[in-house]
């Protein structure tokens, strides 16, 4: 009887796994802005809603918004200039740029749908407007590249497979392990794609794309023992990025 039970469990496991594999195939779509094929399980409106929902909590985590209106206005101006001169303008996303008060954590990030953040710690290290454009352009790249939505869909897929695995046999842990690795690998590619898009947006808006390299130097210099683990894990080494950024400048400079 035990052997028969195991067979049935295996069959159910395979059926669940197949369900998630087919579901994933049906979720493959071409990104209309980057033309890259990706797995996405939500539409643009859902991305915007998730971003708006999580924005207050993220803001709070970084000490709220920075009180200086002039600095905030500069961030808005540079962000909007990048959007109005690029394909970002043609997306359904609602872009908003927030300067966070946090004076210690060097970071910038984007939520799905267009909520973009930069901490004062990073803002205050930037040497010119072009570098600010580099940071914001990179974050707009994450939005337009739909990286968060892609990662959500991928993790749903791996969770589904892990469930199938744990029904069929005790493979849940193994499959989850593969899933996590895949997520991290995607993260690195996301960063490189965002750097590439950032350079393109800078050139289109009339900024000096070489200043994106300046941003990398700042990130490198700040990479001391106090560097945040999440920053370290999701961002490839600045030296690798500089090489790719130089390639992107060559590729787009005659746009
Ligand atoms: Zn990034």
């Amino acid at each position: 009887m035990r052997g028969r039970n195991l067979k049935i469990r295996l069959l159910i496991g395979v059926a669940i796994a197949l369900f998630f594999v087919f579901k994933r195939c049906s979720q493959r779509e071409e990104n209309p802005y980057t033309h890259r094929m990706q797995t996405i399980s939500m539409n643009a409106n859902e991305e915007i809603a998730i971003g708006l929902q999580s924005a207050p909590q993220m803001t709070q985590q970084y000490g709220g918004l920075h009180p200086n209106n002039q600095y905030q206005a500069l961030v808005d101006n540079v962000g909007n200039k990048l959007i109005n001169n690029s394909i970002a303008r043609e997306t359904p996303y609602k872009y908003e740029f927030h300067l966070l008060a946090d004076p210690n954590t060097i970071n910038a990030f984007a939520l799905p749908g267009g909520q973009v953040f930069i901490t004062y710690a990073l803002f205050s290290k930037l040497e010119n407007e072009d570098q600010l454009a580099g940071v914001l352009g990179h974050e707009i790249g994450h939005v337009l590249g739909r990286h968060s939505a892609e990662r959500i869909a991928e993790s749903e897929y791996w969770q589904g497979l892990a469930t199938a695995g744990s029904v069929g046999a005790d493979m849940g842990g193994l499959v989850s392990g593969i899933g996590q690795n895949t997520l991290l690998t995607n993260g690195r590619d996301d960063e490189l794609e965002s750097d590439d898009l950032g350079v393109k947006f800078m050139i289109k808006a009339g900024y000096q794309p070489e200043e994106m390299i300046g941003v990398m130097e700042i990130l490198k210099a700040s990479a001391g023992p106090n560097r945040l683990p999440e920053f370290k894990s999701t961002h490839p080494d600045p030296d690798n990025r500089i090489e790719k950024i130089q390639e992107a400048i060559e590729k787009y400079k005659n746009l």
Side-chain angles (χ1 to χ4, degrees):
M1 278 310 278
R2 278 208 61 187
R4 202 181 144 78
N5 261 342
L6 185 66
K7 253 189 206 164
I8 291 171
R9 275 176 49 180
L10 263 174
L11 278 176
I12 296 172
V14 168
I16 297 174
L18 278 177
F19 168 78
F20 281 102
V21 169
F22 281 124
K23 191 173 160 215
R24 184 173 190 251
C25 289
S26 71
Q27 289 172 338
R28 295 291 286 173
E29 56 179 80
E30 187 186 321
N31 186 307
Y33 318 111
T34 63
H35 302 294
R36 189 165 59 82
M37 288 301 290
Q38 51 190 172
T39 306
I40 299 277
S41 60
M42 59 179 77
N43 62 36
N45 284 335
E46 289 167 317
E47 286 177 84
I48 294 168
I50 288 178
L52 286 173
Q53 246 168 43
S54 353
Q57 199 198 332
M58 296 308 289
T59 305
Q60 212 180 16
Q61 252 178 46
Y62 287 87
L65 295 174
H66 196 280
N68 187 314
N69 290 333
Q70 265 173 306
Y71 292 162
Q72 176 60 54
L74 176 61
V75 172
D76 283 330
N77 276 338
V78 173
N80 290 329
K81 198 168 159 189
L82 290 164
I83 288 166
N84 292 331
N85 288 290
S86 72
I87 196 171
R89 186 186 47 194
E90 292 158 36
T91 70
Y93 300 119
K94 311 254 179 285
Y95 296 94
E96 278 188 291
F97 301 92
H98 310 281
L99 179 62
L100 300 166
D102 193 325
N104 302 314
T105 316
I106 292 180
N107 207 1
F109 54 93
L111 295 174
Q115 300 293 311
V116 172
F117 301 83
I118 176 171
T119 61
Y120 181 71
L122 175 55
F123 177 84
S124 62
K125 287 228 177 326
L126 300 175
E127 293 148 355
N128 49 53
E129 195 178 313
D130 302 77
Q131 290 183 352
L132 178 57
V135 172
L136 298 180
H138 172 95
E139 298 309 329
I140 295 168
H142 279 307
V143 174
L144 196 140
R146 307 185 78 187
H147 296 151
S148 295
E150 191 174 8
R151 255 187 269 169
I152 290 167
E154 288 287 345
S155 90
E156 283 167 359
Y157 170 70
W158 288 108
Q159 269 166 17
L161 274 198
T163 308
S166 59
V167 171
D170 281 325
M171 274 178 51
L174 178 73
V175 178
S176 308
I178 298 169
Q180 269 190 358
N181 262 340
T182 305
L183 290 182
L184 287 179
T185 312
N186 283 349
R188 289 177 60 85
D189 290 344
D190 293 348
E191 295 312 325
L192 297 176
E193 184 173 82
S194 292
D195 284 343
D196 187 274
L197 290 167
V199 165
K200 192 174 174 181
F201 300 155
M202 287 174 88
I203 292 172
K204 288 250 180 193
Y207 288 111
Q208 295 298 317
E210 291 79 11
E211 291 298 336
M212 184 72 104
I213 295 168
V215 173
M216 294 303 129
E217 299 291 353
I218 290 168
L219 293 180
K220 210 161 86 177
S222 68
N226 297 326
R227 194 171 171 189
L228 273 189
E230 77 234 32
F231 192 80
K232 212 165 164 180
S233 64
T234 56
H235 286 72
D237 191 282
D239 285 326
N240 293 341
R241 292 174 74 181
I242 287 172
E243 212 174 292
K244 298 273 180 194
I245 288 165
Q246 271 157 346
E247 284 171 26
I249 293 171
E250 282 303 307
K251 184 168 65 171
Y252 296 127
K253 69 181 178 189
N254 295 321
L255 275 185

